[in-house]
Amino acid sequence: MNTPHKAFAKALIASTALLAATCVLAGPADVTQTQKQPINLTAIAMFLVFVLGTLGITYWAAKRTTSASDFYTAGGGITGFQNGLAIAGDYMSAATLLGLSSLVFLRGYDGFVYTISFFIGWPVILFMLAERMRNLGRFTFADIASYRLQQSSIRTFAAFSSLTVVCFYLIVQMVGAGQLIKLLFGLDYPVAVAVVGVLMVVYVTFGGMIATTWVQIIKAVLLLSGGLLLLGLAMSQFGFNIETLASSAVAAHKDGAAIMRPGSMLADPITATSLSLGLVFGTAGLPHIMMRFFTVPNAKEARKSVFVASGFIGLFFLVVCLLGLAAIVIVGQDPQFFEKGEIGGKLIGGNNMPVMHLAKAVGGNLFLGFLSAVAFATILAVVSGLALAGASSIAHDIYARVIRKGEATEAEEMRVSKFASIGLGVVAVILGILFEKQNVAFLVGLTFGIAASANFPVLILSLYWKGLTTRGALIGGVAGLVSAVLFVVLSKAVWVVVLGNAKPIFPYEHPALFSMPLAFFVTWLFSVTDRSARAAQDLAGYRDQDIRAQTGIGAAAASAH
């Protein structure tokens, strides 16, 4: 038992040395670059405190991670409340804080609608999925999808689909991390990406789900408390009256009362509907979110965790929207936050910075440093969850169940999962650096589009439709995956912006309205026309699956409490 701890101690020393090196490397920061800001020593100090604290948690978790169940699902010993906070930590990202508040700052009502689309998927998970997933699954999405279907083919598809979502989402997070830290900390972009990659590998490889869960919980508490404190400081300037805030925002914004009405984002109902479908049902198909339901001891705690997560996420989104309105008044009328001091011109740091400027306006550099460190911490938590989901797909689904046909020992599976974590970390850093100059906004829509079109149809039909067969699930899932990717590639976001063509072949930017119904139709068609012996076996297995899904009889029990 001493060997892993010695290895962790060496990794901790190396990580700390790397972090210290970043402070040195940050010294000669080139402030002539518009996206690079002077070093914020407060932010770096707070970030170092957070990282050292979470490395300590990882060391503690490493001692408790002795089995595959511990590594993948924290032994099922996380309470519903703790898991709810961790799920909220997974979902409340730096992109949420910066991106959604900036949408409200720039577009008003459209930003509210976009925010609601992100949130509304949680009742779907609460009422339709949480209990059944906990009763049927063990470690991954593939455990559920392949419960009564042919194991090797469905697990291979589910693992590949999950890895696709994980990799695209990791690119978004790594590029976001690099740009955010380049902007807020004054570090070079490759250095910031490398730091995130190293810490992600350490958290996942040594601490597994136990460490990842507590990193997410701490991050959720910090982000929510920081957001509430910022909102309190901002609202004090409006007498803590939301009506006063709204009327002041209308008076200050260049579009006036129009910001309280639907705008250009909702002008095309097809685009708005497709975006909403992707966000609502894509949430239920994200592999790192689905894994969290297996960390609790039973279905009751799974339901509780979604209920708690919904409450915290809903509160956070309300805070973010109000911060966007407050920034319209406080930031939008202060020349120090605009390039050349021209109010209404280009914001210093870009359009995603209103909430950071708001933090400086109402709390000074100290509060800006705190919020900057928390924003970076959110990225660490999200990429750790993504890496763990990807590693579990490789080790548990592909290696242990498909390649070794269920004959791999726990030690072998954990060894493969740790190598997979390291491999994903290296890939994430390389892709993050390669995509530095690319517009990766389309990857967010693609990630949710794939999750909604490939993962969600197979998941929901495997749980609720007796007629689903292996052939239908496989062909329908592949149809959803391929069509979602193809529609995005042919859209303006890639075909025109990235590839430089004159006109998009596919006229809409979000694929879910087209790819998700296609996946459902193809799955239905190839299931009802399947007359094979395997299909008869698939249909016969539904009754036992349904009984276990509803009662929990035979479900995996917690190994840690």
Side-chain angles (χ1 to χ4, degrees):
M1 294 296 294
N2 290 329
T3 303
H5 298 153
K6 289 180 180 178
F8 176 83
K10 292 178 181 178
L12 189 150
I13 293 170
S15 304
T16 306
L18 177 60
L19 287 167
T22 63
C23 298
V24 177
L25 290 170
D30 181 9
V31 294
T32 61
Q33 299 179 34
T34 56
Q35 285 190 316
K36 202 168 185 180
Q37 302 298 305
I39 302 169
N40 188 327
L41 294 178
T42 303
I44 291 178
M46 291 182 177
F47 168 67
L48 286 173
V49 169
F50 172 83
V51 170
L52 291 174
T54 51
L55 286 174
I57 290 173
T58 307
Y59 180 75
W60 165 79
K63 297 179 180 179
R64 300 168 61 93
T65 303
T66 57
S67 66
S69 178
D70 293 332
F71 184 81
Y72 293 131
T73 62
I78 304 298
T79 68
F81 183 83
Q82 292 169 344
N83 196 45
L85 261 179
I87 291 174
D90 248 337
Y91 210 65
M92 298 185 314
S93 65
T96 306
L97 177 65
L98 301 179
L100 295 182
S101 60
S102 69
L103 270 179
V104 176
F105 175 81
L106 295 170
R107 299 173 182 258
Y109 181 82
D110 281 1
F112 282 104
V113 175
Y114 201 90
T115 302
I116 290 170
S117 297
F118 268 104
F119 175 68
I120 206 67
W122 288 102
V124 174
I125 298 174
L126 174 61
F127 293 111
M128 298 185 67
L129 299 177
E131 181 175 354
R132 288 172 176 257
M133 287 173 64
R134 175 59 186 85
N135 285 337
L136 289 175
R138 190 180 177 204
F139 297 146
T140 65
F141 155 60
D143 287 337
I144 303 167
S146 65
Y147 185 87
R148 61 185 171 92
L149 306 180
Q150 206 276 328
Q151 291 280 316
S152 60
S153 58
I154 296 299
R155 280 190 182 275
T156 301
F157 158 73
F160 182 77
S161 177
S162 296
L163 283 170
T164 303
V165 172
V166 165
C167 286
F168 284 146
Y169 215 173
L170 270 177
I171 294 174
V172 175
Q173 296 295 330
M174 297 302 281
V175 172
Q179 299 294 354
L180 181 67
I181 304 312
K182 179 180 180 180
L183 182 67
L184 299 176
F185 289 76
L187 299 180
D188 290 327
Y189 177 86
V191 175
V193 171
V195 170
V196 175
V198 169
L199 290 172
M200 173 184 78
V201 169
V202 171
Y203 292 151
V204 175
T205 304
F206 292 99
M209 181 58 84
I210 298 175
T212 301
T213 295
W214 283 103
V215 169
Q216 288 162 340
I217 289 173
I218 293 171
K219 162 261 183 114
V221 171
L222 288 174
L223 189 60
L224 192 56
S225 59
L228 286 170
L229 178 57
L230 178 58
L231 180 61
L233 293 172
M235 288 298 293
S236 66
Q237 300 192 19
F238 303 96
F240 296 97
N241 189 312
I242 294 179
E243 185 177 352
T244 302
L245 169 64
S247 59
S248 300
V250 168
H253 200 280
K254 60 183 177 61
D255 295 332
I259 65 169
M260 294 299 174
R261 297 192 296 266
S264 60
M265 286 180 66
L266 302 177
D268 182 358
I270 294 179
T271 297
T273 303
S274 190
L275 169 64
S276 299
L277 283 175
L279 294 178
V280 170
F281 296 108
T283 301
L286 294 175
H288 64 297
I289 297 294
M290 285 189 278
M291 273 192 76
R292 297 233 55 91
F293 296 111
F294 310 131
T295 65
V296 291
N298 51 53
K300 176 184 176 182
E301 293 299 306
R303 291 194 303 271
K304 181 179 178 181
S305 63
V306 182
F307 180 78
V308 171
S310 300
F312 283 120
I313 293 169
L315 173 61
F316 180 71
F317 282 175
L318 285 174
V319 168
V320 165
C321 290
L322 291 174
L323 289 176
L325 286 180
I328 292 174
V329 182
I330 298 172
V331 175
Q333 295 183 302
D334 192 335
Q336 70 168 313
F337 300 119
F338 292 88
E339 292 186 1
K340 299 179 182 179
E342 298 175 0
I343 294 178
K346 187 177 180 181
L347 278 173
I348 294 175
N351 287 335
N352 283 328
M353 293 303 293
V355 72
M356 290 299 176
H357 292 323
L358 180 65
K360 183 176 181 180
V362 300
N365 280 326
L366 182 64
F367 195 73
L368 173 62
F370 168 75
L371 208 60
S372 300
V374 171
F376 197 16
T378 65
I379 294 175
L380 290 177
V382 173
V383 296
S384 297
L386 287 168
L388 188 57
S392 65
S393 293
I394 294 171
H396 179 64
D397 296 323
I398 296 177
Y399 175 77
R401 295 296 182 270
V402 176
I403 297 176
R404 293 296 305 277
K405 308 294 183 185
E407 295 181 358
T409 65
E410 277 200 357
E412 290 174 333
E413 190 173 331
M414 287 183 66
R415 191 181 309 118
V416 171
S417 65
K418 291 183 178 183
F419 280 120
S421 301
I422 296 171
L424 281 170
V426 172
V427 169
V429 170
I430 293 173
L431 291 176
I433 294 174
L434 290 177
F435 275 77
E436 177 188 2
K437 305 296 183 183
Q438 297 295 320
N439 181 351
V440 297
F442 72 92
L443 288 179
V444 178
L446 179 58
T447 299
F448 279 84
I450 292 174
S453 305
N455 291 355
F456 179 73
V458 173
L459 175 65
I460 199 72
L461 291 177
S462 68
L463 291 175
Y464 285 97
W465 186 38
K466 178 182 178 181
L468 180 68
T469 67
T470 297
R471 187 180 78 167
L474 191 60
I475 298 176
V478 171
L481 175 63
V482 172
S483 62
V485 173
L486 186 62
F487 286 145
V488 171
V489 169
L490 298 178
S491 71
K492 178 182 177 182
V494 179
W495 196 251
V496 176
V497 176
V498 177
L499 299 180
N501 294 292
K503 291 183 178 180
I505 297 176
F506 181 70
Y508 307 104
E509 293 189 10
H510 302 283
L513 181 61
F514 306 93
S515 54
M516 191 170 79
L518 176 65
F520 274 109
F521 175 75
V522 171
T523 303
W524 169 82
L525 178 64
F526 282 91
S527 290
V528 297
T529 57
D530 191 352
R531 299 290 183 268
S532 65
R534 178 69 238 184
Q537 189 176 342
D538 296 337
L539 300 182
Y542 179 77
R543 183 174 179 274
D544 289 341
Q545 174 188 303
D546 192 48
I547 291 173
R548 173 164 159 176
Q550 295 194 55
T551 64
I553 296 174
S559 61
H561 296 280

